[in-house]
Amino acid sequence: MKVDKDKIQTCGYTVIHQDVVNGVSKRMLEEETIMSLAEFFKVFGDPTRLKILYALSISEMCVCDLAALLGMSQSAISHQLKVLRQSRLIKYRRDGKVVYYSLDDDHIRQVFAQGLAHVNE
Amino acid sequence: MKVDKDKIQTCGYTVIHQDVVNGVSKRMLEEETIMSLAEFFKVFGDPTRLKILYALSISEMCVCDLAALLGMSQSAISHQLKVLRQSRLIKYRRDGKVVYYSLDDDHIRQVFAQGLAHVNE
DNA sequence: CTATCATATGAATATGTGTTCATGTGTTAT
DNA sequence: ATAACACATGAACACATATTCATATGATAG
């Protein structure tokens, strides 16, 4: 265990380009912004949620039909709809016993398109 | 345990709007496409990777400086860089002992901007 | 050749997350 | 009221994943 002299260090590692680090550090996004952004993208990072979002981008749908469409349990769909609701990506309306979900924002179609553009090279 | 008559069922749940389900089902994306898309967005769903990507959108950087900038271990950064490399979001060049990383695609800045637009309402 | 530095990586661990199961809530019909 | 239906939700479980720790690799300097 040796004590290094006067090198600038962080986490035990030498900073090679102090100027670059300082420059980027000044322009870095706030922690809160990064966190919100990560939460936002995380929602799109699950196949089931993507399918739901894509389906809703075509048509308003009820929970039961979504479950049938995706071949999954009503419970699984409901849990994911909750996540999408909390992220304010979808909205819903109730008609008797049936709850209809739909996209909350056209913005989402753009995010989808952007992702597809990247995936399709 | 009762056996229902002739209702159209999937996973034990009645389909309420068969026409809607059929219509959306026809236009549904392929499983492979959905998976690729989910993988793509998943990469953006982590704060550390977002910080790295944002930093690299400002300037090319080496591993060591990234670790210092984010106040994290070199190992943690290296592991995440591997993920970003495998997703083809970043590229690198070697100069002696130092490896410099940079964004592989300007497309990424757009995805970032899109996400920020949504987060900032 | 040896030591040192910058980076990469495998294993282990802790934490997060998606689905299932069981059950609860709210609405409609009888 | 009671039953049936559509949906929501808490707990449990299985699986994924981000970080740490220890160590390996590749490059340079002495």
Side-chain angles (χ1 to χ4, degrees), chain B residues 69-104:
Chain B
L69 172 70
L70 304 185
M72 295 178 64
S73 72
Q74 174 268 319
S75 179
I77 299 296
S78 248
H79 277 295
Q80 296 299 2
L81 286 171
K82 185 176 186 177
V83 174
L84 292 170
R85 251 186 290 131
Q86 288 174 337
S87 304
R88 303 189 181 286
L89 296 180
I90 59 175
K91 57 186 176 186
Y92 64 97
R93 68 181 178 85
R94 178 154 215 141
D95 184 12
K97 289 182 292 188
V98 184
V99 176
Y100 295 94
Y101 283 90
S102 58
L103 292 191
D104 190 27

Side-chain angles (χ1 to χ4, degrees), chain A residues 10-11 13-17 20-21 24-25 27-29 31 33-38 40-42 44-47 50-51 54-55 58-62 64-65 67-72 74 87 89 98 100 105 107 110-112 114-119, chain B residues 10-11 13-17 20-21 24-25 27-29 31 33-38 40-42 44-47 50-51 54-55 58-62 64-65 67-72 74 87 89 98 100 105 107 110-112 114-119:
Chain A
T10 312
C11 309
Y13 291 94
T14 308
V15 172
I16 299 177
H17 311 89
V20 174
V21 174
V24 174
S25 187
R27 298 175 55 186
M28 201 57 185
L29 294 175
E31 186 68 19
T33 303
I34 289 285
M35 286 303 179
S36 302
L37 207 48
F40 174 71
F41 283 121
K42 198 179 293 183
F44 286 88
D46 176 75
L50 279 182
K51 288 174 191 172
Y54 186 74
I58 297 175
S59 170
E60 173 187 68
M61 277 204 236
C62 70
C64 191
D65 288 348
L69 173 70
L70 305 185
M72 295 178 64
Q74 173 266 320
S87 304
L89 296 180
V98 184
Y100 294 94
D105 190 356
H107 208 141
Q110 293 177 28
V111 175
F112 227 98
Q114 194 88 35
L116 274 174
H118 187 90
V119 167
Chain B
T10 311
C11 308
Y13 291 95
T14 308
V15 172
I16 299 179
H17 310 88
V20 173
V21 174
V24 174
S25 186
R27 297 175 56 185
M28 201 57 183
L29 294 176
E31 186 69 17
T33 303
I34 289 286
M35 286 304 180
S36 302
L37 207 48
F40 174 72
F41 284 121
K42 198 179 291 182
F44 286 88
D46 176 75
L50 277 182
K51 288 174 191 172
Y54 186 73
I58 297 174
S59 171
E60 172 187 69
M61 278 203 237
C62 70
C64 191
D65 287 349
L69 172 70
L70 304 185
M72 295 178 64
Q74 174 268 319
S87 304
L89 296 180
V98 184
Y100 295 94
D105 189 356
H107 208 141
Q110 293 177 26
V111 174
F112 226 100
Q114 194 88 36
L116 274 174
H118 187 90
V119 167

Side-chain angles (χ1 to χ4, degrees), chain A residues 38-95:
Chain A
E39 288 304 317
F40 174 71
F41 283 121
K42 198 179 293 183
V43 176
F44 286 88
D46 176 75
T48 301
R49 287 192 293 266
L50 279 182
K51 288 174 191 172
I52 293 175
L53 288 173
Y54 186 74
L56 296 184
S57 78
I58 297 175
S59 170
E60 173 187 68
M61 277 204 236
C62 70
V63 181
C64 191
D65 288 348
L66 280 169
L69 173 70
L70 305 185
M72 295 178 64
S73 73
Q74 173 266 320
S75 180
I77 299 296
S78 250
H79 277 295
Q80 296 299 2
L81 286 171
K82 185 177 186 178
V83 174
L84 293 171
R85 253 186 289 131
Q86 289 174 335
S87 304
R88 303 190 181 287
L89 296 180
I90 60 175
K91 58 186 176 184
Y92 64 95
R93 67 182 178 85
R94 177 152 214 142
D95 183 13

